[in-house]
Amino acid sequence: MSGAPQVLTQARALEAESIHIFREVAAEMQRPCLLFSGGKDSIVMLHIARKAFHPARIPFPVMHVDTGLNFPEILAYRDRWIEKLGLELVVASVPDAIERGLVREEPNGSRNRIQTPVLLEAAEQHRFDALFGGARRDEEKARAKERVFSFRDEFGQWDPKNQRPEIWSLYNGRVHQGQSIRVFPLSNWTELDVWTYILGEGVEIPELYLAREREVVERGGMLYAVNAFTPARDGETPRSVKVRYRTVGDANLTAAVESDADTVEKIVAEIAAVRITERGATRGDDKVSETSMEDRKREGYF
Amino acid sequence: MDLLRFATAGSVDDGKSTLIGRLLFDSKALFSDQLEAVERVSRSRGNDYTDLALLTDGLRAEREQGITIDVAYRYFATPRRKFIIADTPGHIQYTRNMVTGASTADVALILLDARKGITEQSRRHAFLATLLGVPHIVVCVNKMDLVDYDESVFDVIRDEFGAFATRLRVRDLTFIPVSALKGDNVVTRSEHMPWFDGPTLLSHLERLHVASDRNLVDVRFPVQYVIRPQQHDVLDYRGYAGTVASGVLKPGDRVVALPSGLESTIAKIHTSDGDVAEAFPPMAVTITLADELDISRGDMLCRPHNMPTVAQDLDAMVCWMDETASLAKGRKYAIKHTTRWARAMVRELDYRMDVNTLHRDEQATELALNEIGRVQLRVTQPLFIDPYQENRQTGSFILVDEGTNRTVAAGMIGRVQG
């Protein structure tokens, strides 16, 4: 709470809005599920879901779309928190889906696009009618027009022209069998809000987000840490640089940024001063075309 | 630092996108990769200046059809405040979008072109902002650079608009002469208009006092979710979770639960960070009561001597938002009011309002997309209502088509019986 009486700080107001959204979905939808990627946004989402139903447990399961290309730190973090909160974990595995022939590996090695059918299949199998995602409207222009309750047809597809008006905070989650909604409790948060909140709440985050000396190679102007997913190629000489991850996606595609921010305090200061969007800085996959996010959303991605 | 939500209204011609681009640009909320993209597109279109309007350009689906689909949300912050902009297009589905954007706004920002003065569109925007109960209206008289920064142009528009606004009973109205393109009076003070002694737009938005706009008098707590942990350590816990719609609740307060009418006392107000001494809007809390009452989602806690009206007959203004169907007498819908769903039937369509002339057409038999009218509804179960102009939370509802599940209307409750 701020110094002024009966005025919520920005962080508290955003948190209250998110809690309201979680409760509304839990009350009205048959089978909600929270999508957890291990990224900071889904971590904050899980943290707020816990607060929304305290002292009871979170009344829905958590799903992880496992691309098989996860940083080991992220998997460890996931398992630790699922156990701590006493939740059910549903894993939708992309390697399994490749094995079964549901999806085919793309030539560039990105599993970003092929995770969509895997996600949709798992949602259908478990008959989830509401999926919480950590997407924020400030991330990307296709997301700036996204609803908090985003209606999806039987194919999980987003149609920007067929979205329900959202007036006041009177959300409409009514769907027919097979249809579903994606719910974005962090819609109105910015990257800086997320970090400010992590700092204020003392939310535990994976070490990857903090700046450390890491062995990296430079490709296309981006720094990739050398690990099992991105080994150094012929002719590349790894060097040790103090870097951190601003987003955490697949280990073979997520680039690190040079940074001295080895504490959350320093990350907040860094984000406040930084002049490039997080996706522009670290995601090879979003640069493909000006509308790649819009296309992926239409296919059923977030 | 607190939060301010504002809705912008106006068309591309009025320079609205440029104004938003200017706010983001001058307050350094823009990222360099976003700016580079805009500069690249500006160059490729042969513009000789960076077209800030491109920043708010949206989806490919829109560019292909040359339309703006609907409300886009944008964010920026200054050291004083975080701002959420609901950016609504001025044309095509203007009413539906403006109603959506204005429904949660603290401030409506209306843009006028100094050369054109007040237009039908600006009157409409002012009317909708007032109808939606937006407490503050800021009129930006834009393109002052094109009228040589002439004070008298500004004065004429201000006086004329002011007279119109008086009829609408606008609570707080501010006029600012700006040039979004040149940056005059948006973030930095204009050197060209020494005659204007008011604040710049950003400075005004930063300082606007909105905390007192909330209703802190009438306690209304719609029960959203009942928390009953099936866990050994907290087996007897029964908490009523919800978001405070209005008023201030404290432990020890006597409360009455609607619809049962049973009374109890607030034992504690919980959050996961511990108990709190008071809860006020828009806090999301969990309340426990001293007595075991049978309360469920859709019920409402309030004070015994300050209760909403319990009604099954609603008098309301509705804005119709659906292109595939229309509202007519006798039709039935699902209605959502606070956390309560019921069914509603249109008993009467009293009149359709022309949002440009404010003329009431009492011969109207239906409301189509973007039309606003006054209706009488009969609801299958009692709702706990207040007039919208007194309480935006307990005075609002949506109508949902029971066949398609589409949200088809926004409603604002008018008169309530005793």
Side-chain angles (χ1 to χ4, degrees):
Chain A
M1 238 127 287
S2 73
Q6 297 170 347
V7 176
L8 291 186
T9 62
Q10 164 194 349
R12 286 287 172 226
L14 289 171
E15 183 194 56
E17 182 180 77
S18 303
I19 288 176
H20 180 85
I21 293 163
F22 274 115
R23 289 170 172 170
E24 201 63 8
V25 171
E28 295 209 338
M29 303 307 288
Q30 299 292 319
R31 289 183 59 79
C33 178
L34 185 147
L35 276 153
F36 184 78
S37 68
K40 62 183 186 311
D41 301 320
S42 65
I43 287 171
V44 166
M45 211 169 44
L46 192 62
H47 182 82
I48 296 174
R50 183 185 60 78
K51 294 181 103 173
F53 303 101
H54 176 86
R57 285 197 191 103
I58 295 174
F60 39 78
V62 168
M63 173 152 71
H64 181 220
V65 181
D66 183 356
T67 56
L69 299 170
N70 293 291
F71 290 98
E73 294 91 328
I74 297 294
L75 293 179
Y77 182 97
R78 177 195 78 184
D79 294 341
R80 196 164 60 248
W81 275 92
I82 292 293
E83 192 184 331
K84 201 166 175 171
L85 300 175
L87 301 177
E88 181 200 338
L89 175 69
V90 174
V91 176
S93 164
V94 176
D96 273 7
I98 293 173
E99 190 99 329
R100 288 186 286 116
L102 175 73
V103 291
R104 197 178 301 169
E105 193 90 74
E106 302 222 311
N108 64 1
S110 167
R111 289 180 175 170
N112 214 331
R113 195 172 199 118
I114 62 173
Q115 67 179 320
T116 301
V118 183
L119 162 74
L120 295 176
E121 185 193 53
E124 201 174 308
Q125 267 169 11
H126 291 269
R127 297 170 60 205
F128 293 133
D129 58 355
L131 293 174
F132 291 105
R136 311 185 320 264
R137 286 174 180 150
D138 80 317
E139 280 180 87
E140 209 276 334
K141 63 185 175 190
R143 285 182 168 165
K145 301 197 169 181
E146 183 58 285
R147 301 292 196 273
V148 173
F149 277 39
S150 176
F151 176 74
R152 303 301 164 103
D153 65 14
E154 289 82 347
F155 299 95
Q157 297 182 110
W158 180 67
D159 178 359
K161 282 181 286 181
N162 188 23
Q163 292 297 315
R164 297 167 176 176
E166 254 168 22
I167 320 118
W168 300 290
S169 45
L170 292 173
Y171 302 108
N172 171 11
R174 291 164 79 111
V175 289
H176 291 302
Q177 182 112 38
Q179 299 171 337
S180 62
I181 52 166
R182 302 284 169 87
V183 184
F184 304 112
L186 306 183
S187 286
N188 287 324
W189 296 53
T190 62
E191 187 186 16
L192 183 58
D193 291 330
V194 169
W195 281 111
T196 307
Y197 186 79
I198 288 171
L199 176 64
E201 292 281 297
V203 180
E204 181 198 330
I205 51 159
E207 179 91 0
L208 292 166
Y209 282 108
L210 301 172
R212 299 283 184 258
E213 291 287 338
R214 294 183 171 100
E215 293 288 304
V216 299
V217 292
E218 192 173 328
R219 283 176 203 157
M222 293 190 173
L223 296 175
Y224 291 88
V226 176
N227 58 35
F229 301 99
T230 45
R233 295 172 187 161
D234 286 348
E236 287 179 339
T237 318
R239 57 194 167 99
S240 183
V241 182
K242 197 168 187 187
V243 295
R244 67 177 203 86
Y245 290 88
R246 234 176 119 185
T247 68
V248 175
D250 281 352
N252 64 335
L253 280 173
T254 309
V257 291
E258 276 200 79
S259 168
D260 281 322
D262 51 13
T263 62
V264 176
E265 284 92 336
K266 288 184 190 170
I267 292 177
V268 170
E270 185 187 280
I271 298 292
V274 81
R275 308 294 329 139
I276 183 165
T277 64
E278 55 193 316
R279 285 185 172 266
T282 63
R283 291 292 183 87
D285 43 338
D286 285 334
K287 280 199 171 169
V288 179
S289 86
E290 243 197 286
T291 53
S292 54
M293 177 68 84
E294 185 180 346
D295 292 336
R296 278 188 284 145
K297 281 177 70 67
R298 281 172 172 279
E299 288 164 11
Y301 181 77
F302 273 80
Chain B
M1 192 161 75
D2 66 348
L3 197 61
L4 184 105
R5 295 175 197 253
F6 70 93
T8 55
S11 68
V12 181
D13 302 340
D14 300 326
K16 184 193 57 148
S17 300
T18 312
L19 182 78
I20 293 173
R22 175 62 66 184
L23 272 175
L24 300 176
F25 183 75
D26 285 1
S27 65
K28 301 189 171 48
L30 273 183
F31 293 110
S32 59
D33 51 332
Q34 291 173 320
L35 194 58
E36 273 167 30
V38 166
E39 284 169 347
R40 203 170 51 235
V41 178
S42 295
R43 271 196 306 276
S44 72
R45 293 188 183 178
N47 294 345
D48 53 3
Y49 59 92
T50 300
D51 186 359
L52 292 172
L54 291 171
L55 284 167
T56 57
D57 229 18
L59 309 171
R60 185 183 53 199
E62 296 171 302
R63 285 198 297 280
E64 283 168 359
Q65 297 166 44
I67 55 157
T68 307
I69 288 169
D70 58 22
V71 189
Y73 293 89
R74 308 182 195 285
Y75 306 84
F76 72 102
T78 69
R80 282 173 170 268
R81 243 179 195 161
K82 167 170 170 138
F83 296 92
I84 301 180
I85 312 175
D87 178 15
T88 66
H91 51 95
I92 315 275
Q93 303 204 333
Y94 51 84
T95 302
R96 160 175 151 159
N97 293 321
M98 169 113 192
V99 165
T100 303
S103 69
T104 52
D106 302 302
V107 185
L109 206 153
I110 296 175
L111 236 78
L112 305 182
D113 184 329
R115 296 168 304 174
K116 297 181 194 158
I118 297 167
T119 59
E120 196 172 272
Q121 179 175 277
S122 43
R123 284 201 183 87
R124 182 167 77 219
H125 290 155
F127 166 70
L128 291 174
T130 320
L131 181 69
L132 268 293
V134 181
H136 309 273
I137 292 180
V138 179
V139 179
C140 286
V141 181
N142 191 24
K143 306 196 183 183
M144 287 300 292
D145 53 317
L146 299 180
V147 295
D148 299 326
Y149 299 106
D150 186 346
E151 182 179 10
S152 64
V153 173
F154 176 73
D155 285 347
V156 167
I157 293 174
R158 187 188 54 198
D159 294 346
E160 197 186 329
F161 199 100
F164 170 69
T166 310
R167 276 167 44 210
L168 295 175
R169 296 198 202 99
V170 174
R171 277 183 257 178
D172 173 36
L173 184 62
T174 307
F175 295 87
I176 303 174
V178 304
S179 165
L181 189 66
K182 302 284 171 64
D184 294 281
N185 284 342
V186 178
V187 172
T188 46
R189 179 159 277 289
S190 171
E191 291 169 9
H192 302 106
M193 292 178 275
W195 45 265
F196 179 69
D197 57 5
T200 64
L201 174 61
L202 182 64
S203 165
H204 180 66
L205 293 173
E206 279 185 316
R207 286 169 177 78
L208 203 57
H209 189 62
V210 292
S212 55
D213 296 334
R214 291 167 305 164
N215 180 335
L216 294 175
V217 176
D218 307 314
V219 171
R220 305 285 186 263
F221 185 80
V223 175
Q224 191 185 10
Y225 188 88
V226 180
I227 296 180
R228 299 188 64 181
Q230 307 295 314
Q231 292 147 233
H232 297 302
D233 44 338
V234 277
L235 211 48
D236 294 329
Y237 185 91
R238 189 180 171 88
Y240 304 108
T243 302
V244 182
S246 59
V248 180
L249 297 97
K250 296 188 176 75
D253 281 353
R254 201 72 190 148
V255 287
V256 57
L258 295 174
S260 72
L262 295 172
E263 291 189 24
S264 184
T265 304
I266 295 177
K268 282 180 176 169
I269 302 175
H270 300 272
T271 72
S272 72
D273 299 316
D275 299 343
V276 294
E278 58 176 15
F280 49 85
M283 284 172 75
V285 297
T286 305
I287 289 174
T288 53
L289 299 179
D291 307 279
E292 275 195 32
L293 304 185
D294 184 16
I295 295 175
S296 52
R297 174 177 167 87
D299 293 1
M300 187 181 285
L301 298 178
C302 47
R303 302 274 278 154
H305 300 293
N306 178 346
M307 293 200 278
T309 302
V310 179
Q312 279 180 262
D313 290 303
L314 307 184
D315 166 71
M317 293 294 285
V318 298
C319 172
W320 192 255
M321 298 183 150
D322 195 65
E323 57 263 55
T324 61
S326 57
L327 174 141
K329 184 174 169 176
R331 298 219 169 119
K332 299 182 182 73
Y333 305 97
I335 182 171
K336 187 178 189 183
H337 172 262
T338 66
T339 55
R340 191 165 253 252
W341 282 98
R343 300 182 72 213
M345 185 184 70
V346 181
R347 281 200 301 119
E348 288 297 337
L349 170 59
D350 297 342
Y351 56 82
R352 178 171 59 209
M353 180 85 127
D354 183 323
V355 292
N356 298 316
T357 62
L358 305 189
H359 173 74
R360 298 170 177 189
D361 178 2
E362 291 172 7
Q363 307 307 312
T365 54
E366 57 173 34
L367 292 181
L369 178 64
N370 290 321
E371 292 183 337
I372 289 176
R374 187 175 196 139
V375 298
Q376 306 300 318
L377 300 176
R378 174 73 184 173
V379 185
T380 48
Q381 52 169 301
L383 302 179
F384 319 123
I385 61 170
D386 294 292
Y388 183 78
Q389 295 297 335
E390 285 169 28
N391 197 319
R392 282 169 104 180
Q393 268 68 39
T394 53
S396 56
F397 62 84
I398 56 171
L399 297 180
V400 172
D401 185 296
E402 292 179 298
T404 64
N405 287 329
R406 294 158 72 101
T407 302
V408 290
M412 287 139 284
I413 293 167
R415 276 191 320 258
V416 299
Q417 307 291 322

